[in-house]
Amino acid sequence: MASFSRVAKAMAKAMAKAKSKAKSKVKAIVKAKAKAKSNIMLEDIADQNKSRGLEMPFGQLPVLEVDGKQLPQSFAINRYLARKFGLAGKDDFEQAQVDAFGDSIKDFLHEIMPFILVVAGHAEGDKDALYKEKFVPAAEKYFPLYKKYLKEAEYGFLFKSGVTWVDFYLAEFNFTLNNLIPDFFTSHPEFKQHVDKVHALSQLQNYLKSRPETKH
């Protein structure tokens, strides 16, 4: 399954140029697959071509580093970056709506996780049975809601005020599902249009061209 910390990474790198007056330099920290001779696991600083040993605040990734301070947990990172770069929503109430939408995607992911682990090759099981037992009921529950938001917003994003952090989250999520499930976008053209809308943002082009190709 694609790591949703990639959403935070994309937001940090893509929006930094548009918000160049921001004082803090934001650095997304991602996994490195190398070990030092001392067998200490190293972490790769995304905007630097080097690795260094790093202690995680909660003992796990993702972590965002801002001015030498570390922030763990993907949703905390997403929301911090959203507020910093104007992607949280136009006012307090819309920000709460945006957060609620993000929580619903997380709930959906939790419900389909047994299927995702198998279809992505991270666990053993009957993917066809899990698709019917886990994915289909969850999709029938959540997809009408997501499509309703896209239809009512009218502008291609989830909220009328414009792009928010949950547009990145939903687009990355559906992009991954399309890689894992044959004909996913054919069955859900609204999601394909949304992914294309997000991926067409000018601030994302450098990131999309340079990010590693992964299936999940």
Side-chain angles (χ1 to χ4, degrees):
M1 186 65 191
S3 171
F4 291 123
S5 64
R6 290 199 301 174
V7 178
K9 178 183 174 183
M11 290 165 62
K13 293 177 73 68
M15 296 304 166
K17 182 177 180 180
K19 301 288 183 177
S20 59
K21 293 183 180 180
K23 294 181 180 180
S24 297
K25 182 179 180 181
V26 179
K27 296 181 289 184
I29 301 176
V30 296
K31 280 186 177 180
K33 295 182 178 180
K35 289 186 177 181
K37 293 181 179 179
S38 59
N39 290 324
I40 297 175
M41 181 63 74
L42 300 178
E43 306 296 333
D44 180 48
I45 307 302
D47 64 352
Q48 299 179 21
N49 187 24
K50 64 180 181 179
S51 298
R52 62 183 175 89
L54 196 64
E55 292 184 1
M56 301 293 103
F58 286 1
Q60 63 184 24
L61 293 169
V63 166
L64 184 78
E65 185 176 292
V66 183
D67 295 337
K69 296 178 290 186
Q70 296 174 5
L71 177 65
Q73 298 291 8
S74 59
F75 261 47
I77 292 169
N78 290 346
R79 287 164 172 156
Y80 169 81
L81 292 173
R83 290 191 297 270
K84 188 174 185 64
F85 297 120
L87 297 167
K90 66 180 180 180
D91 53 37
D92 289 345
F93 189 76
E94 187 175 89
Q95 288 177 18
Q97 289 179 306
V98 169
D99 287 349
F101 193 99
D103 287 336
S104 78
I105 301 176
K106 187 162 61 172
D107 290 342
F108 177 41
L109 176 60
H110 177 75
E111 292 183 25
I112 67 171
M113 186 56 70
F115 165 72
I116 292 297
L117 290 175
V118 171
V119 75
H122 300 311
E124 295 183 357
D126 187 333
K127 66 179 181 180
D128 293 329
L130 288 169
Y131 178 80
K132 294 178 181 179
E133 296 170 5
K134 298 294 184 180
F135 184 84
V136 171
E140 290 176 347
K141 176 181 176 181
Y142 290 101
F143 282 2
L145 170 67
Y146 301 161
K147 293 176 182 180
K148 178 182 177 182
Y149 269 76
L150 289 171
K151 182 178 180 180
E152 291 181 350
E154 299 177 351
Y155 301 111
F157 298 118
L158 291 164
F159 291 87
K160 290 184 178 180
S161 63
V163 63
T164 65
W165 70 270
V166 290
D167 285 294
F168 291 89
Y169 191 15
L170 182 64
E172 187 69 15
F173 187 52
N174 285 332
F175 183 81
T176 299
L177 289 179
N178 186 62
N179 286 334
L180 296 174
I181 301 173
D183 300 321
F184 178 78
F185 279 157
T186 301
S187 301
H188 304 284
E190 302 95 332
F191 294 155
K192 175 65 164 61
Q193 293 171 6
H194 179 247
V195 169
D196 289 345
K197 180 80 171 181
V198 172
H199 284 187
L201 291 169
S202 60
Q203 300 96 328
L204 285 180
Q205 298 314 301
N206 288 338
Y207 167 73
L208 292 174
K209 291 176 182 178
S210 62
R211 72 175 180 176
E213 290 291 334
T214 58
K215 184 176 181 180
H216 45 75

